Amino acid sequence: MTPQAPSTLLAHKAISLASELSNSEKRVAAAIIDHFNRRTGQCDPSLDCIAELIGMSRRTVMRATDRLQKLGFIRRTRHGGHYHRNSYEPVWSRFLQVEADWKGRRSARRARLGAPKLSPCSGQFCHVGGDTAAPQTFTSNILKETFSGEALLQKPDVRSPLHDKRGSAMEANRRPNPPIPPRTFQPFGSTPSSTAACDAAERRWNSDLTSHF
């Protein structure tokens, strides 16, 4: 059966996509396909003609046609005509196979890129401590990680951001203030320096608590 025009176009596409062909082999294959007569099925360009058209040596064209025949892209026969030229027959099933492989790679890539991207986080896969009600997350855990029960045996990390100055001030504010002993009147200039320093420190402390809360 004489192939139609789309078959020659498909052959050029398959030649361009064939990864097993070198650049020179692709050029020789394209020249052979271009000489194919769709009406008569004749395809017999000489080696000198192909070499002159694509700018290669005759020896390079011979090596390229040998490899094209070995890979199954063409069938070569010597018909004994003018100048004993070779006759070439394109193997259309081979070109169809290259195109099918190309379409398969494109479909696989679309399926891989179109797949939904799931979260890599893993959830709790079993109950903790039976079916009884239990806290599932730490009250001070910002990341809301699943409670495993082992953290109760660990001491809190003093380097945690929750144990900063603000937390220390809050804890100090919750504790009852110690009773302040009554002050006795002393003449001006008779207050000891240690008592004055304590009073100044207490005033700064109260001022800081008032401004903070």
Side-chain angles (χ1 to χ4, degrees):
M1 181 182 66
T2 303
Q4 302 298 322
S7 297
T8 58
L9 295 178
L10 183 145
H12 283 290
K13 176 183 177 181
I15 290 170
S16 301
L17 297 174
S19 59
E20 61 269 27
L21 296 179
S22 64
N23 187 31
S24 60
E25 293 166 356
K26 290 181 180 181
R27 295 178 64 187
V28 172
I32 293 175
I33 295 298
D34 191 65
H35 280 84
F36 181 78
N37 192 318
R38 295 189 296 270
R39 183 173 57 84
T40 63
Q42 184 178 358
C43 181
D44 53 357
S46 64
L47 297 176
D48 294 332
C49 176
I50 297 175
E52 181 181 355
L53 288 175
I54 63 180
M56 292 183 180
S57 64
R58 192 173 187 272
R59 178 63 61 181
T60 302
V61 175
M62 291 179 61
R63 288 196 298 265
T65 53
D66 291 341
R67 181 161 172 78
L68 289 172
Q69 183 179 13
K70 181 179 179 180
L71 294 176
F73 286 92
I74 61 173
R75 296 188 184 97
R76 183 179 55 184
T77 57
R78 185 178 296 275
H79 58 67
H82 186 58
Y83 294 112
H84 298 281
R85 289 181 297 183
N86 295 325
S87 177
Y88 304 98
E89 179 186 357
V91 182
W92 306 107
S93 59
R94 184 71 172 90
F95 298 134
L96 289 173
Q97 179 184 359
V98 174
E99 188 195 25
D101 293 341
W102 170 256
K103 289 183 178 180
R105 290 196 298 269
R106 291 191 60 186
S107 300
R109 183 178 183 275
R110 285 196 300 266
R112 186 178 70 254
L113 296 180
K117 297 181 179 180
L118 303 178
S119 174
C121 299
S122 58
Q124 181 176 322
F125 58 91
C126 64
H127 292 287
V128 177
D131 295 333
T132 58
Q136 296 296 313
T137 55
F138 293 105
T139 56
S140 60
N141 190 357
I142 301 177
L143 299 179
K144 304 299 182 183
E145 295 180 355
T146 304
F147 175 72
S148 61
E150 299 179 356
L152 294 178
L153 303 178
Q154 301 176 0
K155 295 182 180 181
D157 190 1
V158 296
R159 296 171 297 177
S160 174
L162 298 176
H163 295 78
D164 54 1
K165 295 182 180 180
R166 179 180 177 184
S168 300
M170 294 174 63
E171 293 295 333
N173 191 35
R174 294 192 185 100
R175 294 194 297 267
N177 295 328
I180 301 176
R183 299 180 182 178
T184 59
F185 176 77
Q186 295 180 356
F188 181 77
S190 61
T191 303
S193 58
S194 60
T195 304
C198 291
D199 294 341
E202 184 179 355
R203 286 193 299 272
R204 288 195 301 270
W205 175 257
N206 293 330
S207 178
D208 292 341
L209 288 179
T210 304
S211 61
H212 189 76
F213 297 100

